[in-house]
Amino acid sequence: MNDTLVTLVGHVATQIDFKETLTGPSARFRFAVTPRYFDRRTEAWTDGATSFYTVWARRVLAVNLASSVSVGEPLVVHGRLRVREGPPDGEGGRWFSADIDAIAVGHDLNRGTAAFRRVVKTETPLMGPQKAAVV
């Protein structure tokens, strides 16, 4: 398989949208990436144009992401790049969306500290029918 793997460094731009689906947990959020470069002419650091990506996470990554990440936090996202094309809008133009199917997500420790907590695996499924207690 010839997937395009990317690693992005940026900030969480929207709330994490977490959902329990029939195929398991899913989470998504918008991710802002702004390059910085040193402008020799002005002798100052300058921000480039911000690019936005929709990051998708599935299963355990989705659960951990929803309980660990907030808007504005700096992250490193690694995953498969997917570019989607939509139908023409009312003015005849098409739209494009850059999505990342996340493989790994973590806080950018260049910008702060983090306290890692290992997830304890349980035998109970994350989603399924609830059994009534027998009295």
Side-chain angles (χ1 to χ4, degrees):
M1 190 168 11
N2 293 325
D3 285 330
T4 302
L5 295 176
V6 295
T7 301
L8 303 172
V9 178
H11 290 84
V12 179
T14 62
Q15 275 303 75
I16 308 298
D17 180 20
F18 177 81
K19 292 182 180 162
E20 290 279 356
T21 66
L22 293 175
T23 59
S26 175
R28 72 178 174 149
F29 65 96
R30 296 286 286 163
F31 192 59
V33 177
T34 305
R36 287 184 59 84
Y37 63 94
F38 187 76
D39 186 343
R40 293 180 192 264
R41 186 177 46 82
T42 62
E43 301 224 356
W45 286 95
T46 305
D47 288 338
T50 301
S51 297
F52 289 91
Y53 301 87
T54 300
V55 177
W56 293 87
R58 311 271 190 266
R59 296 177 290 282
V60 175
L61 179 57
V63 173
N64 293 343
L65 186 71
S67 64
S68 302
V69 173
S70 299
V71 173
E73 292 183 346
L75 296 182
V76 177
V77 174
H78 179 72
R80 291 174 188 87
L81 175 65
R82 306 273 188 241
V83 177
R84 295 184 299 128
E85 179 180 350
D89 59 14
E91 298 173 8
R94 295 186 314 225
W95 57 266
F96 294 90
S97 174
D99 294 357
I100 308 296
D101 290 330
I103 296 169
V105 177
H107 285 99
D108 183 355
L109 297 181
N110 276 319
R111 302 205 171 124
T113 62
F116 179 79
R117 292 176 306 280
R118 186 174 300 277
V119 174
V120 178
K121 293 182 182 180
T122 63
E123 295 300 318
T124 58
L126 295 173
M127 183 176 139
Q130 300 294 323
K131 297 181 182 175
V134 178
V135 182

